[in-house]
Amino acid sequence: MPPPGPYEAPARRRHPFRDVRLHVVSGKGGTGKTTVAAALALALASGGHKVLLVEVEGRQGLAQLFDSPPLPYEERKIASGAGGGEVFALAIDPEAALLEYLELFYNMKRAGRALKRLGAVDFATTIAPGLRDVLLTGKAKEAVSREDKSRRLGLAYDCVVMDAPPTGRIARFLNVTAEVAGLAKVGPVRGQAESVMALLRSPRTAVHLVTLLEEMPTQETRDGTRELRSQVFPVGAIVINKMRPPLLPKSELARARSGSLDRGELAAGLKEVGIDAEPELLTALLEEAADHARRVELENAERRALADLRRPSYELPLLTDVDRVDLGGLYRLADLLRAQGMVG
Amino acid sequence: MIPDTPVPPPVREPPVLDVDAHLDDARIIVCCGSGGVGKTTTAAALALRAAERGRNVVVLTIDPARRLAQAMGLTELDNTPRRVMDVSGVRAPRHAGPVPSRAAGESAPGELWAMMLDMKRTFDDIVLTHASRERAEALLANPFYQSLSSSFAGTQEYMAMEKLGQLQATEKWDLIVVDTPPTRSALDFLDAPQRLGAFLDGRLLRLLLVPAKAGGRAYMKVLGAGFSIMTRALTRVIGLQLLTDVSQFVSALETMFGGFRQRAEETYRLLAAPGTAFFVVAAPEPDALREASYFVDRLGTEEMPLAGLVLNRVHRSRAAALSAPRSLSGAEVLAERGEFPLAAAVLRLHADRVQLSAREHLLRERFTMAHPGVPVAEVPALAEDVHDLDSLRFVGDQLGGGLSEPPAVGA
């Protein structure tokens, strides 16, 4: 068997998200959706594009990822892509978004302050149903359609990438604007809600789901896909994150699983390189091999289940930094997404 | 970098989390942590172990994975505790002293009950219990209420708290184990009383009540000049129709809100009281441990009784004496010579495992340096997700510090 090389990306595919302007990245907790969203933004920025990366959960995950101080409610350049590309980041704060919205659309700066004093802003952003989510998606929509005459195509950003709520909540999060449209039968709120829904349900949006090849995340990915489809949101890619390459050749996996690897051959091999092949060591190593084989087998089963979703899928390796994924790691993931054709 | 040799003696070893002592003594156990760290599984495993140690336990899960729910015999989300059968093992309490609510020396297993939280139904039940029939019907039909009770992100936290209070009030169980919603703001339920209070005491509530009391059209007239900016803002932005719905909703809730807030405050006091134990759950990964740190700090600020950290999915090697570099160099030599491919592969695999284990150890050590007094219990990674009582029992054994063999994998 040749020694396993560096992580190998699956074969290149034509990039299917060429026309997408809003990339919504969701995933079960712990799957690394923030990391994938950031890598996707870097990948999209290469070739001189300008990309806005937004986070909506108020936990400053992007600042931590890019090792920057907490992001204010302001679009800030956070990284450069190849060929003069730029990634800007924004942590959307619902309260600031509401005040901005009032000022922008109603010229009501003073009213905003009055609302704040009354506790209405707090009510709108924390207690009132869905309004918070409406503000978050509304802001993303604003960034997608913002104009900038000085740029090619006249748009401020070529793409917007959203680090969205987890898979279990994503359909509800996206749909809440439709609910508000249902609540407000007339008026400006309804108009705004309808234009946001039009974007979210169009081919200009793609909802990507990040998963691991483990039971619960793939189950959630399947449930999430079904939910998104039933509410007519465009499901984009499945991104399988934190992959660890198989370390046993296929022929040995089944034997390792059933505990019938050649103990004598292992002992001889160890002896050859001067490792004392004590029986306890041999047993422990064979157990580790069996564990590994079980994991690979499960991963394969999960991968097959994900293939049934009939969405393009991309795989990213586990980065093993102790601190956090560093910028170098993010560029590496971005390259892998490009190499696999998620971004062209 | 990953250290080359088996990890040097750590600066500080954390105290061992005596899970069984909490299982035998606590009246409420709350599991909190970020999403995807095995919080629900931990809650279920703790509950099962407590029941098998003789207590009457109910576990309140928020959104269990299907197979975990099935393992506990929960086939539908009906908001009612169901008895979990096959609670068998008779385990004597490890430490001396009587188990609360049971005669000393009695060794019969307790009972395990499990339920899934249905937030809409919990909310509906509150309405039906605390409002007159007419009012309740009006409220249940209000579009604003329907949206709030089923889709509002924070409702889960409020309702989990409400349900906990209800379960406690029945006095049917001597231990309640609570799973918390998998949000980043999983401790939001601690804020519930305060938030409700701020809202109820605020001018906004009074303002919102006006249209319902005065009838839509009279809205403008009734409000004083002080509110003129407000009303213009509200009607312009959300429209009079929606404002009326909101107002009707708030007005219908007004009478109940007081009781709700009072109960939320009681539950808060209950959580802070001795007899409650918070288990912070994490996986040995940077993000999950950072969240765990946040939870530990937050619980400290609120003076909530923290039991310790449960670290799930820890990888260990049983051959840790064979170091990663030693294994890797051996594998390289064999590969160069083109001999013993099996041994080379097994050596690589072992190196990978040792490195992973060292990385996890380092992460845990870092947590302990920041929170030296916090006890830790570790649960090894299982090949498969928990989907039957045996594997739940295995997790429970690990939490209790036992060394049982993992359950057989596969069908």
Side-chain angles (χ1 to χ4, degrees), chain B residues 336-398:
Chain B
E336 270 168 31
R337 292 189 204 155
E339 291 172 349
F340 298 104
L342 172 65
V346 169
L347 284 171
R348 276 182 207 287
L349 197 148
H350 172 69
D352 187 59
R353 175 107 173 198
V354 172
Q355 281 169 343
L356 186 64
S357 160
R359 171 181 188 250
E360 291 177 353
H361 193 98
L362 211 62
L363 287 166
R364 194 204 72 188
E365 213 169 71
R366 199 171 283 185
F367 174 87
T368 293
M369 284 200 281
H371 308 280
V374 174
V376 177
E378 291 190 2
V379 179
L382 290 176
E384 279 188 59
D385 283 335
V386 169
H387 55 263
D388 55 23
L389 287 186
D390 280 344
S391 35
L392 264 189
R393 203 168 277 133
F394 171 74
V395 172
D397 284 347
Q398 297 297 316

Side-chain angles (χ1 to χ4, degrees), chain B residues 255-280:
Chain B
T255 43
M256 302 157 35
F257 253 152
F260 184 56
R261 173 184 176 194
Q262 194 194 340
R263 289 194 302 283
E265 275 165 2
E266 275 164 20
T267 312
Y268 184 89
R269 274 197 295 277
L270 198 66
L271 289 176
T276 298
F278 280 85
F279 283 67
V280 175

Side-chain angles (χ1 to χ4, degrees), chain B residues 48-302:
Chain B
L48 176 63
R49 187 171 176 84
E52 295 192 337
R53 292 173 69 82
R55 303 198 68 191
N56 287 320
V57 189
V58 62
V59 55
L60 169 58
T61 63
I62 304 294
D63 189 12
R66 202 164 303 154
R67 290 176 74 179
L68 177 62
Q70 281 165 357
M72 293 190 292
L74 293 173
T75 46
E76 53 188 321
L77 185 133
D78 61 358
N79 218 23
T80 316
R82 301 269 164 199
R83 176 107 185 249
V84 180
M85 291 309 173
D86 305 323
V87 172
S88 53
V90 179
R91 290 151 198 259
R94 201 174 58 190
H95 66 296
V99 179
S101 83
R102 271 189 183 272
E106 193 179 344
S107 59
E111 291 178 7
L112 175 61
W113 295 65
M115 67 166 288
M116 287 189 265
L117 178 72
D118 177 342
M119 62 173 176
K120 173 146 180 55
R121 193 178 299 209
T122 305
F123 212 146
D124 289 354
D125 286 347
I126 300 171
V127 172
L128 292 165
T129 317
H130 295 278
S132 68
R133 213 190 127 145
E134 210 176 304
R135 218 163 199 197
E137 275 169 14
L139 187 55
L140 294 181
N142 183 298
F144 195 80
Y145 169 79
Q146 287 171 352
S147 172
L148 175 81
S149 60
S150 56
S151 70
F152 164 46
T155 307
Q156 232 175 16
E157 284 86 353
Y158 289 82
M159 290 306 127
M161 185 109 165
E162 177 75 26
K163 199 75 209 176
L164 170 61
Q166 285 175 11
L167 290 173
Q168 205 265 339
T170 63
E171 296 186 352
K172 195 170 163 188
W173 293 281
D174 48 40
L175 172 64
I176 304 170
V177 180
V178 198
D179 178 21
T180 51
T183 49
R184 281 285 162 168
S185 49
L187 287 179
D188 271 3
F189 62 90
L190 295 177
D191 295 329
Q194 207 192 351
R195 254 200 209 169
L196 273 177
F199 175 62
L200 291 170
D201 300 335
R203 286 203 288 163
L204 179 70
L205 182 73
R206 277 177 283 143
L207 179 79
L208 288 171
L209 285 171
V210 173
K213 285 179 179 158
R217 289 238 161 236
Y219 193 29
M220 303 298 183
K221 286 183 198 160
V222 175
L223 292 167
F227 281 138
S228 63
I229 296 179
M230 261 306 297
T231 45
R232 235 182 298 143
L234 280 177
T235 43
R236 260 174 88 184
V237 178
I238 70 177
L240 197 60
Q241 169 262 329
L242 178 56
L243 191 62
T244 312
D245 277 349
V246 173
S247 183
Q248 270 169 359
F249 164 73
V250 174
S251 140
L253 270 189
E254 191 195 11
T255 43
M256 302 157 35
F257 253 152
F260 184 56
R261 173 184 176 194
Q262 194 194 340
R263 289 194 302 283
E265 275 165 2
E266 275 164 20
T267 312
Y268 184 89
R269 274 197 295 277
L270 198 66
L271 289 176
T276 298
F278 280 85
F279 283 67
V280 175
V281 186
E285 296 192 19
D287 289 344
L289 279 167
R290 190 168 42 226
E291 288 295 306
S293 277
Y294 164 78
F295 283 123
V296 167
D297 288 340
R298 179 78 205 277
L299 290 169
T301 314
E302 304 270 346

Side-chain angles (χ1 to χ4, degrees), chain A residues 21 50 143-149 151-158:
Chain A
R21 304 275 330 282
K50 193 174 165 193
V144 167
S145 44
R146 194 186 307 157
E147 295 183 351
D148 180 351
K149 295 280 184 272
R151 296 191 72 243
R152 169 178 59 108
L153 299 176
L155 289 164
Y157 291 104
D158 295 295

Side-chain angles (χ1 to χ4, degrees), chain A residues 4-19:
Chain A
Y7 183 81
E8 278 180 0
R12 190 189 169 90
R13 267 164 296 210
R14 202 187 135 269
H15 48 102
F17 307 110
R18 196 192 306 260
D19 301 326

